[in-house]
Amino acid sequence: MSTVELASPARSYLEEGYGLRSWLTTHDHKRIAVLYGIGITFFFFLGGLAAALIRWELVTPAGDLVSAETYNKAFTFHGVVMVWFFLIPSIPATLGNFLLPLMIGARDVAFPRLNLFSWYLYVVGGIFTLGCLLLGGVDTGWTFYTPFSTMFSNSHVLMAVVGVFIVGFSSIFTGLNFIVTVHTMRAPGMTWMRLPLFVWSMYAVALVMILATPVLAMTLSLIGLERLFGVGIFDPALGGDPVLFQHFFWFYSHPAVYIMILPAMGVVSELITHGARRRIFGYRFMVYAIIGIAVVGFLVWGHHMFVAGQSMYASIVFSILSFIIAVPSAIKVFNWTATLYKGDISFDAPMLYALGFVGLFMLGGLTGLFLAATALDVNLTDTYFVVAHFHYIMVGGAVMAYLGGIHYWWPKITGRLYSEAWARFAAILMFFGFNLTFFPQYILGWEGMPRRYHEYLPQFQVWNVLSSAGATILGVAYVLPLVYLAWSLRYGARAGANPWDATGLEWQTSSPPPPHNFEQVPVVHEGPYAYRR
Amino acid sequence: MTLPQASSFAPNVDHLFDTLLALCTLVVVGVFTVMIVFCVKYRRGTSAERTPARSHLGVELTWTLVPFVLFMGIFGWSVHLWIRLRTPPKDAQPIYVVAKQWMWKVQHPGGQREIDQLHVPVGQPIRLVMTSQDVIHSFYVPAFRVKQDVLPDRYTELWFTATQAGTYHLFCAEFCGTDHSRMRGEVVVMAPADYARWLQAHAGIGLAAQGAALFRRLGCSGCHDPQSGVHAPSLENLYGSTVPLSDGSQVLADERYLHDSILLPKKQVAAGYAPIMPSFEGRLGEEDVLALVAYLKTRGTQTEKPE
Ligand SMILES: [Cu+2]
Ligand SMILES: [Cu+2]
């Protein structure tokens, strides 16, 4: 790629205007990314507080800290907030929004106003969710299973459902924007097979978002209809079918898992290639794997329902498809590992996060095989094994990648350098805290402890105490970046255009970039990750 | 603390689990070792040889196909077990379970009733016919490695053969509201002789006899008795037979069919009859329906003798 070190950086996007108004009416994808960043950070720590309450309650077998109702509301709130207000928007709406146009050499996304609108939808959805919490919360679990959610729960189900419904549209609009942007706004020479893997992952995720999220919106509306007007859709007492709900719900929510993890894979591909200063091993296979995961991800929802009353044969089909989707994930792990081969590896904080991601993602992915195997799933489903499995993917995977990405692009976003020592320390602490929190939960699950239990049998206590201890460490590790990153905003050294000496168009403009990203439209001559050519 | 293996499935399930665990451990150790070796050998500043990268199609194909084949192996093994888990043997003894927020009610064919307890004999295949009176629950006995969701207005089944006398935990595994975590009970597995004594001590009016009484009291006999003037099917030998329906399809008359015929008669109408049977939805609790079903099963069946 052409490298132009800018002599006199123009005014950056941060200096475009300083008032609140200039931010709340901005159409700049970079500013909108920052707005999203503030929103999801807020919700991450709020959801984290709910998790703290859960782990604190589970230190003892008796339900002695809070009432069962409060406990149920805590894990519901934790799930709803972390899934829809943190994980799903996390990488796409912040890093994706910020980087996608930069990485393809565009001045902005295709529909800047729609982009801002989707942030407002996110905020309105968030207000509903907070309102639901203030009114007294909801106790259905983030899965809203019927007929409990429609006819039996006495909590504020509708309020929560409306919040999620609204935030769903924000991700649909983000998806739409990304697809059109990638199709129409690539810089000259930026062919499809020269796209950085992060862009590929954003593109795939955008497809999943616009295809799956409408199903969620429809399902939530049906819950509303049944709960408000008693229209019989899911409650058998009204002539409905409760298992139908689960089909609808997982038809969205399984692809949603890939909405959370595909972007993480994209980020990690950027971090590892940079950390090892090496081209990605098997670029084409990596692209095919991304597409394969996005497509097959739509066909495996029934693996959540092996014991739900689904027919034996349907379960067999969903089982084999679930094994098949594990293949592209395995390919990715092997390719990341192979990228290290003959590299020139340095262990900056982003690389530590990326390596941590690969390890944790592998453990999460492999335990997925146990759950894909129908005969094993019978014992493991709805136990802590499942809880551990998806936290390895969502927290060990997605959150590690998100934080790795935030560190890597922090100089680009803010123009400042953070304290490398603290960042490495936090990354390592997080890795250990995470494993201590969630590894014991695999054991608990295999021993038969069901999930969503306010009280549990005394024989499970040891592992629960370990898990809660790990959660404490993890909590500290999450607060650290908040502190030193905030500190760097004021006291951090200024970053040049390309402090990492990285390839990629985003590093060819000043840090922070000017409002329209590039002084001149860049021209691309080769594929991504052209390190040590 | 290890989980007891108290059913005929448990050793098989554990065998598969252990194998997969060993395989995964191998993969994890392998990949981690390679990663660590690379990270040490090619860390910045070492003098290791570094030629430009090249992708190898052969390598890619190998690590695509090898996992695929391994996965298919595990899948096949698992399906084999799964089909067994889902196919109760013909001689399995039915026991009826009704779940409600937040308790398990159990009815034995002999009229024995229990709450949050289930007594079963060693060595006899047991088939649980389960339904819920309110929300979805899930019947989970870790020591048996079995679990099945329990749905409102529908029968689901679960079968097992207990192999070791003892008392085992029963959990509700599907979140079902406030006291979900208290919806626990125990399964008491007894030697056959002890079990026979237990049955004797707790015998009540047999479930089928209760059903027969209901059948008269609710006026079912008014239509279904051969002497009655109404054109309604005789229910003799119905259970286990294949019933032609008015829409041209056929259905196996199992417990679920009998249940639905009583609560939702319009759902599946027997061929050759007018859909005049009234619905008993809302008038009958699930326990009464179970009694009726148990009674109908005794009116001549292909698989079970009348009690
Ligand atoms: Cu329950
Ligand atoms: Cu429950």
Side-chain angles (χ1 to χ4, degrees):
Chain A
M1 288 170 205
S2 56
T3 29
V4 220
E5 205 47 57
L6 285 172
S8 60
R11 221 156 38 132
S12 83
Y13 79 99
L14 291 173
E15 297 154 343
E16 261 288 277
Y18 292 95
L20 193 60
R21 214 188 122 89
S22 77
W23 280 87
L24 294 181
T25 56
T26 183
H27 293 163
D28 185 333
H29 67 103
K30 299 182 288 303
R31 286 192 161 213
I32 295 170
V34 172
L35 291 175
Y36 262 115
I38 294 167
I40 68 166
T41 306
F42 171 74
F43 277 107
F44 176 74
F45 282 100
L46 204 61
L49 283 180
L53 187 65
I54 295 170
R55 283 313 329 163
W56 193 9
E57 167 66 70
L58 293 177
V59 171
T60 57
D64 40 15
L65 180 69
V66 294
S67 69
E69 264 145 43
T70 310
Y71 180 82
N72 296 343
K73 287 174 179 170
F75 72 67
T76 303
F77 186 72
H78 172 71
V80 168
V81 163
M82 287 305 202
V83 169
W84 282 294
F85 293 92
F86 174 69
L87 281 168
I88 288 187
S90 63
I91 296 177
T94 56
L95 295 175
N97 242 331
F98 197 96
L99 295 167
L100 184 90
L102 283 167
M103 284 183 163
I104 63 172
R107 292 164 71 87
D108 205 315
V109 291
F111 308 115
R113 272 193 206 87
L114 187 67
N115 202 10
L116 182 64
F117 182 54
S118 83
W119 181 74
Y120 277 102
L121 285 178
Y122 173 83
V123 171
V124 174
I127 289 172
F128 269 93
T129 306
L130 289 179
C132 169
L133 180 71
L134 293 180
L135 286 177
V138 56
D139 68 350
T140 58
W142 76 281
T143 45
F144 298 114
Y145 268 21
T146 56
F148 181 71
S149 65
T150 53
M151 305 311 281
F152 289 86
S153 170
N154 293 317
S155 58
H156 299 274
V157 180
L158 276 180
M159 191 84 167
V161 160
V162 170
V164 174
F165 180 87
I166 294 173
V167 82
F169 282 92
S170 109
S171 65
I172 294 175
F173 293 149
T174 302
L176 197 72
N177 234 327
F178 284 4
I179 291 176
V180 178
T181 308
V182 175
H183 270 277
T184 60
M185 298 176 71
R186 282 169 288 129
M190 181 58 94
T191 59
W192 285 91
M193 281 297 152
R194 283 181 185 166
L195 289 176
L197 289 173
F198 179 75
V199 175
W200 266 112
S201 78
M202 283 300 121
Y203 180 74
V205 135
L207 283 176
V208 179
M209 278 174 167
I210 63 168
L211 291 176
T213 318
V215 179
L216 174 72
M218 177 204 82
T219 313
L220 295 174
S221 321
L222 293 178
I223 289 191
L225 276 184
E226 182 161 300
R227 202 174 157 92
L228 269 182
F229 306 113
V231 182
I233 298 154
F234 303 124
D235 183 10
L238 304 170
D241 180 352
V243 181
L244 181 66
F245 172 81
Q246 297 178 28
H247 281 289
F248 285 164
F249 182 79
W250 290 115
F251 186 82
Y252 162 76
S253 290
H254 196 79
V257 170
Y258 296 106
I259 296 181
M260 302 180 233
I261 200 65
L262 279 170
M265 294 170 159
V267 167
V268 165
S269 301
E270 304 296 317
L271 304 191
I272 288 196
T273 45
H274 169 258
R277 307 205 69 76
R278 194 119 180 107
R279 276 180 211 270
I280 194 85
F281 193 90
Y283 174 84
R284 265 172 198 279
F285 272 78
M286 291 300 253
V287 172
Y288 301 152
I290 290 174
I291 305 289
I293 290 172
V295 172
V296 185
F298 276 99
L299 305 175
V300 298
W301 78 90
H303 68 207
H304 295 271
M305 300 168 59
F306 290 155
V307 302
Q310 174 176 270
S311 95
M312 181 176 85
Y313 299 102
S315 293
I316 292 176
V317 173
F318 283 120
S319 171
I320 195 169
L321 287 165
S322 306
F323 275 102
I324 288 174
I325 202 172
V327 175
S329 304
I331 296 177
K332 300 201 76 103
V333 169
F334 296 141
N335 277 325
W336 286 321
T337 309
T339 302
L340 301 175
Y341 178 59
K342 294 193 174 175
D344 186 16
I345 307 171
S346 62
F347 300 95
D348 304 312
M351 185 63 166
L352 293 182
Y353 278 106
L355 293 173
F357 168 95
V358 176
L360 299 179
F361 174 73
M362 197 160 72
L363 283 180
L366 287 171
T367 49
L369 297 177
F370 292 77
L371 299 169
T374 37
L376 296 180
D377 180 73
V378 168
N379 189 41
L380 297 173
T381 185
D382 277 325
T383 69
Y384 264 87
F385 193 93
V386 174
V387 177
H389 160 70
F390 70 73
H391 280 88
Y392 264 80
I393 303 279
M394 313 275 73
V395 185
V399 177
M400 287 296 252
Y402 169 70
L403 287 174
I406 287 289
H407 282 82
Y408 182 57
W409 285 291
W410 186 259
K412 180 55 58 184
I413 297 171
T414 65
R416 301 286 186 154
L417 299 176
Y418 52 80
S419 152
E420 184 61 34
W422 277 105
R424 287 185 194 177
F425 174 67
I428 293 169
L429 192 66
M430 211 173 280
F431 185 81
F432 283 107
F434 177 85
N435 280 302
L436 188 56
T437 309
F438 291 104
F439 201 85
Q441 298 186 5
Y442 280 128
I443 300 166
L444 281 173
W446 175 247
E447 298 285 347
M449 177 166 162
R451 67 192 283 202
R452 297 175 169 173
Y453 261 33
H454 172 236
E455 294 181 355
Y456 59 87
L457 300 180
Q459 72 198 61
F460 298 131
Q461 191 174 10
V462 180
W463 299 113
N464 272 297
V465 169
L466 282 179
S467 178
S468 295
T472 314
I473 298 176
L474 194 56
V476 173
Y478 283 142
V479 172
L480 281 178
L482 195 67
V483 177
Y484 64 75
L485 288 178
W487 186 89
S488 80
L489 286 180
R490 223 188 141 78
Y491 305 105
R494 299 242 170 225
N498 191 357
W500 296 113
D501 193 15
T503 66
L505 293 183
E506 77 269 28
W507 300 108
Q508 293 187 23
T509 182
S510 50
S511 309
H516 288 293
N517 296 349
F518 299 97
E519 298 298 305
Q520 285 166 335
V521 177
V523 179
V524 182
H525 304 289
E526 60 183 325
Y529 320 122
Y531 292 105
R532 294 191 303 110
R533 64 211 80 185
Chain B
M1 150 186 96
T2 40
L3 199 53
Q5 293 182 326
S7 77
S8 58
F9 298 131
N12 297 319
V13 171
D14 290 5
H15 191 189
L16 175 57
F17 183 87
D18 294 343
T19 310
L20 188 52
L21 189 63
L23 203 71
C24 289
T25 311
L26 214 68
V27 173
V28 168
V29 171
V31 175
F32 279 8
T33 312
V34 172
M35 269 174 74
I36 291 169
V37 167
F38 286 173
C39 281
V40 172
K41 188 164 174 203
Y42 300 110
R43 69 184 187 281
R44 186 149 308 165
T46 59
S47 57
E49 171 221 12
R50 293 180 172 90
T51 46
R54 275 184 49 222
S55 292
H56 302 269
L57 188 64
V59 177
E60 294 285 353
L61 287 180
T62 313
W63 66 43
T64 306
L65 292 177
V66 170
F68 178 77
V69 170
L70 285 175
F71 292 169
M72 287 306 105
I74 296 288
F75 165 75
W77 183 349
S78 159
V79 163
H80 176 76
L81 254 176
W82 166 249
I83 291 176
R84 232 185 83 205
L85 270 158
R86 288 289 131 146
T87 325
K90 286 269 181 290
D91 64 339
Q93 173 73 28
I95 297 179
Y96 304 94
V97 175
V98 177
K100 59 179 263 187
Q101 286 176 327
W102 290 277
M103 62 166 84
W104 300 101
K105 297 202 220 171
V106 175
Q107 299 193 9
H108 295 258
Q112 297 83 354
R113 287 164 179 269
E114 328 182 49
I115 287 182
D116 290 342
Q117 275 204 327
L118 168 64
H119 284 74
V120 295
V122 170
Q124 159 77 41
I126 301 289
R127 185 168 62 97
L128 300 180
V129 178
M130 307 188 290
T131 188
S132 161
Q133 235 157 283
D134 38 52
V135 301
I136 300 178
H137 304 273
S138 190
F139 190 96
Y140 177 31
V141 185
F144 292 173
R145 313 289 187 274
V146 292
K147 183 185 289 127
Q148 173 61 53
D149 283 8
V150 180
L151 306 175
D153 228 18
R154 189 191 295 182
Y155 286 160
T156 51
E157 287 190 340
L158 172 110
W159 85 275
F160 57 84
T161 306
T163 51
Q164 264 175 46
T167 304
Y168 305 101
H169 295 293
L170 156 65
F171 296 118
C172 174
E174 187 63 77
F175 179 65
C176 56
T178 311
D179 280 337
H180 163 60
S181 69
R182 292 198 169 162
M183 192 164 159
R184 307 190 301 253
E186 51 192 24
V187 179
V188 183
V189 179
M190 309 170 101
D194 296 340
Y195 183 65
R197 260 194 301 281
W198 182 87
L199 281 181
Q200 202 113 63
H202 294 80
I205 306 172
L207 204 52
Q210 297 170 31
L214 278 171
F215 196 74
R216 274 184 302 279
R217 187 147 54 79
L218 295 168
C220 317
S221 47
C223 292
H224 285 290
D225 268 3
Q227 307 81 303
S228 87
V230 184
H231 180 54
S234 136
L235 304 176
E236 299 299 327
N237 284 323
L238 175 61
Y239 180 69
S241 68
T242 309
V243 182
L245 298 179
S246 58
D247 64 4
S249 64
Q250 291 196 329
V251 60
L252 175 73
D254 54 5
E255 278 115 349
R256 182 186 290 196
Y257 175 73
L258 298 181
H259 171 273
D260 289 356
S261 295
I262 298 168
L263 292 186
L264 311 160
K266 305 271 178 307
K267 193 171 134 195
Q268 291 167 314
V269 176
Y273 297 94
I276 53 167
M277 174 162 160
S279 163
F280 288 85
E281 176 102 60
R283 291 171 55 192
L284 285 178
E286 288 293 351
E287 285 158 88
D288 293 335
V289 179
L290 276 175
L292 280 169
V293 168
Y295 165 65
L296 292 178
K297 285 166 64 179
T298 61
R299 298 186 47 161
T301 69
Q302 338 291 76
T303 51
E304 280 163 81
K305 286 192 269 340
E307 281 141 58

